[in-house]
Amino acid sequence: MEKQFALAGNPNSGKTSAFNHLTGANQYVGNWPGVTIERKSGLLKRSKMIALQDLPGIYSLSPYTPEEVITQEYLLNQKPDAIINIIDSSNLERNLYLTTQLLETGLPVVLGMNMMDIVKKNGQTINLSKLAYGLGVPVIGMSALKKTGLEKLIETTQEEAEKNTVAYPAYDPKLESALDEISDILGNTVSEKQVRWYAIKLFEKDPLATESLNLSSIQKKEIDDIIQITEKIFDDQSDAILVNERYEFITRLISLAMIKEDGFKLNLS
Ligand code: GDP
Ligand code: K
Ligand code: MG
């Protein structure tokens, strides 16, 4: 059986550079259905049984830009065997925002920490083991420019795809209990692996997810009540609650994984 891995990440994180090294001449270039956004897929040089998909560059998985919608639909409906999240490690905080959402798709995720040559040149050190521990998924240092780490990245992704395990950030317990309640209301409307994704999207009042689920009016009412109560507790809008929680998770991760050198305080913003 052929396996399908997808490269996802911010624009200019190095996805296409990695894709080109990994697939070589085994590439197919077309367009995504209905849009003029280029679609590149190919077979891995090291195994023709693994297809690689180069997804459009995005900063988040929202329903607003065609690139975000393409990526979201591909991940949720085509369900690749694993996501390779290519990170510009010299812009860790910004890049990890998308990571929190990729983890919530219910697919196995491996982080390809790209641009490690730049991190090194800047005199920064990222503790990859601690980052992996904090995220709950493998984190592989690499440089698509210097062609380092790519073999290990693919080997690790193959292992994760076999195991098919998922990990996702845990947020404030008050938010978590709202998400649990929404998950209960969803029941088996969605698969077990995707229930967290949809619970979060419904909590954020994401129109794309809401439309796609075809909920009963009772389900909608119960979910609305949970959202209203939680907004009161946090004194904030539901979508803003999630954004804040994501950044708090990322801040904790970075303080765990970034090592300050030479007594200088790192400026990560
Ligand atoms: P994409 O938008 O994610 O597909 O990113 P690209 O693969 O097009 O890369 C964006 C830019 O970053 C290009 O100029 C690449 O040559 C450069 N680049 C990619 N990977 C690395 C890396 O590991 N180190 C350095 N220094 N530059 C890289
Ligand atoms: K680019
Ligand atoms: Mg590209």
Side-chain angles (χ1 to χ4, degrees):
M1 262 285 282
E2 192 182 87
K3 285 215 181 306
Q4 183 84 233
F5 296 165
L7 290 169
N10 287 11
N12 294 315
S13 57
K15 295 178 299 300
T16 303
S17 307
F19 176 86
N20 288 339
H21 291 312
L22 290 166
T23 60
N26 309 311
Q27 294 190 1
Y28 311 95
V29 182
N31 276 332
W32 290 92
V35 286
T36 53
I37 296 171
E38 189 182 80
R39 174 175 189 161
K40 270 180 131 183
S41 51
L43 299 175
L44 290 190
K45 281 192 277 190
R46 64 176 271 151
S47 165
K48 302 279 182 292
M49 295 300 286
I50 299 175
L52 192 64
Q53 178 64 60
D54 188 14
L55 290 168
I58 50 173
Y59 294 105
S60 68
L61 277 172
S62 321
Y64 303 116
T65 71
E67 287 83 358
E68 290 169 344
V69 173
I70 287 169
T71 303
Q72 204 171 132
E73 283 181 348
Y74 176 82
L75 295 176
L76 291 176
N77 304 330
Q78 306 292 311
K79 295 186 201 134
D81 297 282
I83 299 171
I84 301 175
N85 179 199
I86 301 292
I87 301 277
D88 172 357
S89 308
S90 66
N91 279 300
L92 194 53
E93 183 176 25
R94 192 181 65 191
N95 278 246
L96 285 173
Y97 191 86
L98 176 66
T99 305
T100 61
Q101 294 182 305
L102 293 173
L103 291 169
E104 286 155 1
T105 60
L107 297 166
V109 176
V110 173
L111 262 63
M113 296 289 288
N114 196 34
M115 313 254 183
M116 285 304 274
D117 55 303
I118 298 177
V119 172
K120 204 172 159 194
K121 209 163 69 188
N122 291 346
Q124 299 176 325
T125 308
I126 304 172
N127 186 323
L128 299 185
S129 319
K130 285 188 179 172
L131 190 57
Y133 173 78
L135 285 163
V137 300
V139 168
I140 310 298
M142 62 179 275
S143 166
L145 186 75
K146 311 228 178 229
K147 300 182 194 167
T148 56
L150 288 162
E151 286 293 306
K152 178 131 188 258
L153 180 68
I154 292 299
E155 273 167 32
T156 307
T157 307
Q158 281 179 286
E159 287 165 15
E160 288 305 295
E162 278 317 314
K163 284 193 260 171
N164 195 21
T165 50
V166 296
Y168 48 76
Y171 300 126
D172 186 297
K174 297 188 287 298
L175 173 58
E176 288 297 335
S177 68
L179 295 174
D180 284 346
E181 286 176 44
I182 296 175
S183 301
D184 287 343
I185 292 166
L186 285 175
N188 35 24
T189 313
V190 295
S191 72
E192 205 182 314
K193 288 239 152 118
Q194 293 188 337
V195 74
R196 186 171 178 86
W197 172 268
Y198 283 105
I200 287 173
K201 285 292 167 183
L202 289 171
F203 184 82
E204 292 175 320
K205 302 175 189 164
D206 177 311
L208 207 67
T210 311
E211 266 169 48
S212 73
L213 283 183
N214 231 341
L215 299 174
S216 72
S217 50
I218 297 172
Q219 283 175 310
K220 284 184 189 157
K221 166 86 173 69
E222 287 178 344
I223 291 169
D224 274 349
D225 289 346
I226 294 165
I227 294 173
Q228 276 191 33
I229 291 166
T230 314
E231 286 182 327
K232 275 214 185 89
I233 294 173
F234 280 85
D235 191 22
D236 208 347
Q237 301 280 316
S238 68
D239 52 350
I241 295 172
L242 241 317
V243 171
N244 284 337
E245 288 297 317
R246 291 186 195 287
Y247 276 118
E248 283 189 16
F249 174 77
I250 291 166
T251 303
R252 287 197 298 275
L253 258 184
I254 286 180
S255 62
L256 181 75
M258 292 291 293
I259 296 159
K260 292 168 192 162
E261 301 255 306
D262 306 329
F264 285 109
K265 222 175 173 223
L266 282 173
N267 181 6
L268 288 162
S269 51

